[in-house]
Amino acid sequence: MEYTTLGNSGIKVSKLCLGCMSFGDPASKMHAWTLDPERSEEIVRHALSLGINFFDTANCYSAGTSEEYLGRALKKNVARDKIVIASKVYFNEGALSAAAIEREIDGSLKRLGTDYLDLYIIHRFDYDTPVQETMQALDKLVKAGKVRALGASAMYGYQFYDMQLCARDNGFTPFVSMQNHYNPLYREDERELIPICRKMNVALTPYSPLAAGRCSRPNWEAGTLRSQTDAVAKRKYDSTEDEDKSICARIHELAQKYSTTMTGITLAWHFAKGVASPVIGATKEKYLDDAAGAFEIKLTEQDVSYIDELYLPHKISGAR
């Protein structure tokens, strides 16, 4: 495993983050393919054995049961100071209002069974709450010791820039990470958001780095329960299948060239692009093994260009 730091925070994280949206009670009706507590713990143990110390969840994943399952698994298998836990706020009553942030952090901490979060991420931009109200509420959590650092997720570049300026101008805690939608099939944030993050030394921790598996297998469709029932992934990727399959074919070609997996090539592409720690969701240990194989691959500039050159502009997916 390789490690990096989240922006200027000094927080050391593995260069793979385990995304825990796949943990939780399917009765919550968020996803039909989530893992029960026992399987969730098995995945967490395997991640720890690979050196992964960075775990990402959210208050809204499976009605909070993702946080519960993750918290239990971590408590049974690793010391709290050896891991980095991230959770999120937004998809809740009040979105990013001060009252909502104060309420939701306590709920997340209780479900995770911890006194603090290492990283608290705003899940989206809130058009209905003044930026200063949000940033001040988040800053209070840092000052109170409930949160060590702050992150943001999918939004437009100008929105993130305005929030960072608000933090700077008012002496509030700035964001140190950006969890945006980014992969070889969706690169719209290369226009503005990613350059802003680089300018501000904000670590990139993208979600859906494998395009919901489409960059990890030679066939567009898979026979898994998730592939068959994940309406969000279908909406994000299937309307551009015809043009994007050619990019996946090139990833497959490079996987054969390097005698590795498509997952390894795709994650090596992320690292070549300067990504700090892509968020990998896994329902099987093998998927994490494939992801860890990325550290054995060093793509050339020509390899990256070969993947990139077929890309066509896409509709925005992520920012609201």
Side-chain angles (χ1 to χ4, degrees):
M1 185 54 56
E2 295 182 7
Y3 299 87
T4 187
T5 55
L6 291 175
N8 298 322
S9 70
I11 297 175
K12 184 179 179 181
V13 297
S14 51
K15 291 182 68 173
L16 292 176
C17 174
L18 181 64
C20 300
M21 190 172 68
S22 56
F23 301 170
D25 186 351
S28 69
K29 298 183 179 180
M30 180 176 183
H31 297 299
W33 40 267
T34 50
L35 303 180
D36 63 22
E38 290 72 29
R39 276 298 291 150
S40 297
E41 183 177 352
E42 289 170 2
I43 295 294
V44 167
R45 280 203 303 266
H46 193 69
L48 292 168
S49 74
L50 293 173
I52 292 173
N53 74 341
F54 191 13
F55 299 85
D56 174 87
T57 184
N59 61 347
C60 63
Y61 290 168
S62 295
T65 57
S66 171
E67 290 179 323
E68 291 175 4
Y69 293 6
L70 175 63
R72 287 182 221 161
L74 291 173
K75 201 163 192 176
K76 290 169 63 176
N77 290 280
V78 66
R80 178 64 183 90
D81 63 353
K82 302 298 182 183
I83 50 174
V84 175
I85 304 176
S87 195
K88 308 183 192 75
V89 58
Y90 173 85
F91 291 104
N92 44 255
E93 182 182 352
L96 299 182
S97 67
I101 288 171
E102 291 169 7
R103 178 188 69 240
E104 293 300 322
I105 185 62
D106 289 339
S108 287
L109 293 176
K110 182 178 180 180
R111 288 186 293 271
L112 284 160
T114 183
D115 295 330
Y116 67 95
L117 287 180
D118 299 281
L119 184 66
Y120 202 33
I121 301 168
I122 58 168
H123 218 152
R124 292 294 186 273
F125 181 82
D126 184 357
Y127 288 88
D128 298 321
T129 301
V131 166
Q132 184 163 337
E133 178 181 337
T134 295
M135 297 308 295
Q136 185 171 22
L138 292 170
D139 182 64
K140 286 181 178 178
L141 299 185
V142 176
K143 288 183 168 61
K146 292 183 177 182
V147 172
R148 293 177 65 198
L150 301 174
S153 189
M155 62 182 64
Y156 292 102
Y158 79 91
Q159 295 168 336
F160 185 63
Y161 190 75
D162 285 348
M163 297 189 90
Q164 290 287 71
L165 289 189
C166 178
R168 184 196 68 184
D169 294 346
N170 291 280
F172 300 148
T173 306
F175 298 114
V176 299
S177 69
M178 168 54 68
Q179 188 178 125
N180 60 315
H181 182 198
Y182 189 49
N183 57 60
L185 307 187
Y186 185 84
R187 294 167 46 208
E188 296 308 299
D189 285 348
E190 289 181 353
R191 302 172 189 272
E192 295 183 0
L193 182 61
I194 289 175
I196 290 170
C197 289
R198 287 177 177 148
K199 182 177 181 179
M200 294 183 168
N201 193 31
V202 171
L204 299 176
T205 64
Y207 70 85
S208 200
L210 302 174
R214 287 155 179 80
C215 291
S216 68
R217 57 181 183 257
N219 299 317
W220 190 263
E221 295 289 345
T224 63
L225 181 59
R226 176 173 185 177
S227 179
Q228 295 167 354
T229 62
D230 193 339
V232 174
K234 290 178 180 292
R235 187 169 64 248
K236 284 194 292 190
Y237 300 115
D238 287 358
S239 65
T240 54
E241 176 183 352
D242 290 342
E243 53 261 48
D244 289 345
K245 280 197 298 188
S246 58
I247 299 173
C248 295
R250 290 196 170 187
I251 294 171
H252 182 246
E253 183 182 334
L254 288 171
Q256 293 179 311
K257 171 185 172 182
Y258 285 97
S259 298
T260 188
T261 64
M262 289 177 65
T263 293
I265 293 295
T266 302
L267 294 178
W269 176 91
H270 278 280
F271 297 137
K273 292 281 189 173
V275 165
S277 184
V279 180
I280 305 295
T283 55
K284 297 179 181 178
E285 288 84 349
K286 179 184 183 302
Y287 298 156
L288 292 178
D289 294 334
D290 289 347
F295 299 115
E296 301 173 5
I297 306 161
K298 300 298 179 185
L299 296 181
T300 66
E301 291 183 10
Q302 291 75 18
D303 292 331
V304 174
S305 296
Y306 189 58
I307 293 172
D308 285 352
E309 66 180 347
L310 298 181
Y311 183 79
L312 298 173
H314 286 50
K315 293 181 180 179
I316 297 298
S317 175
R320 297 171 72 86

